Amino acid sequence: MKLRHWIFVLAGLGAATTVAAQDLKSPSADQYVPRLGDIMSAAQTHHQKLSLAGKAQNWDLAAYELRQLKASLVEAALLYSGIPISNVTTLEPSLQATSDAIATKDGRKFSKAVGDLTEGCNSCHRSMGRSFVVMKVPSDPQPFANQQFAPQAKALTDKP
């Protein structure tokens, strides 16, 4: 997808998020902005559920979780200007491949696409100096089974 198209997509989703947030306003006049860590925790949950739903061949749930994951990524890019738009747009091929695999109910293509998507997440983390956050395709349904917790050698691409 071209960058221009992504800008329109991000702007449209941002407007929808703003409208939804206004509908759910608390009595306070201040608008709540979720912390980046909270958005990424939601993305991690959707990533795990996406993977597990695909493994179980629950394609409707997998499609739903993929939409939720995309929304989390877009929300992060819209709300946090320090995240380069290219970090989101470079995930598009693996997001599309995952969507295509879900549409055709192809478990093999799904596994590859989710693996590529996971590597894309890790690539983004490295580019942001967060290589200590390492995602993996979950092997079981336990909470946070899609994150590696053992430390790795510090990558040369990490920013201080």
Side-chain angles (χ1 to χ4, degrees), residues 18-127:
T18 301
V19 170
Q22 289 172 350
D23 291 343
L24 300 174
K25 257 189 177 176
S26 66
S28 164
D30 296 332
Q31 185 176 5
Y32 171 73
V33 176
R35 294 176 44 185
L36 181 57
D38 294 336
I39 296 169
M40 290 292 103
S41 289
Q44 181 177 359
T45 298
H46 296 305
H47 174 268
Q48 181 172 15
K49 292 171 75 176
L50 166 66
S51 180
L52 295 172
K55 284 181 184 177
Q57 297 185 353
N58 184 342
W59 302 115
D60 290 335
L61 179 58
Y64 173 78
E65 292 301 336
L66 180 61
R67 287 191 303 273
Q68 297 302 306
L69 176 59
K70 285 181 185 179
S72 292
L73 297 172
V74 167
E75 182 179 33
L78 285 173
L79 294 175
Y80 290 89
S81 59
I83 299 173
I85 190 72
S86 62
N87 282 9
V88 176
T89 58
T90 58
L91 291 174
E92 178 53 29
S94 56
L95 289 166
Q96 187 60 54
T98 303
S99 180
D100 293 346
I102 291 168
T104 60
K105 300 178 181 179
D106 188 325
R108 282 188 186 194
K109 287 182 181 176
F110 177 85
S111 293
K112 171 148 181 18
V114 169
D116 292 345
L117 176 60
T118 303
E119 180 47 40
C121 293
N122 290 327
S123 177
C124 179
H125 296 164
R126 287 188 300 270
S127 76

Side-chain angles (χ1 to χ4, degrees), residues 3-17 70-71 73-78 84-86 88-89:
L3 181 58
R4 183 175 179 201
H5 177 77
W6 266 102
I7 291 170
F8 288 117
V9 170
L10 292 174
L13 286 173
T17 302
K70 285 181 185 179
L73 297 172
V74 167
E75 182 179 33
L78 285 173
I85 190 72
S86 62
V88 176
T89 58

Side-chain angles (χ1 to χ4, degrees), residues 119 122-134 151-160:
E119 180 47 40
N122 290 327
S123 177
C124 179
H125 296 164
R126 287 188 300 270
S127 76
M128 299 298 296
R130 304 286 191 280
S131 66
F132 53 87
V133 179
V134 180
Q152 289 188 331
K154 189 167 178 88
L156 295 176
T157 59
D158 273 1
K159 296 177 183 175

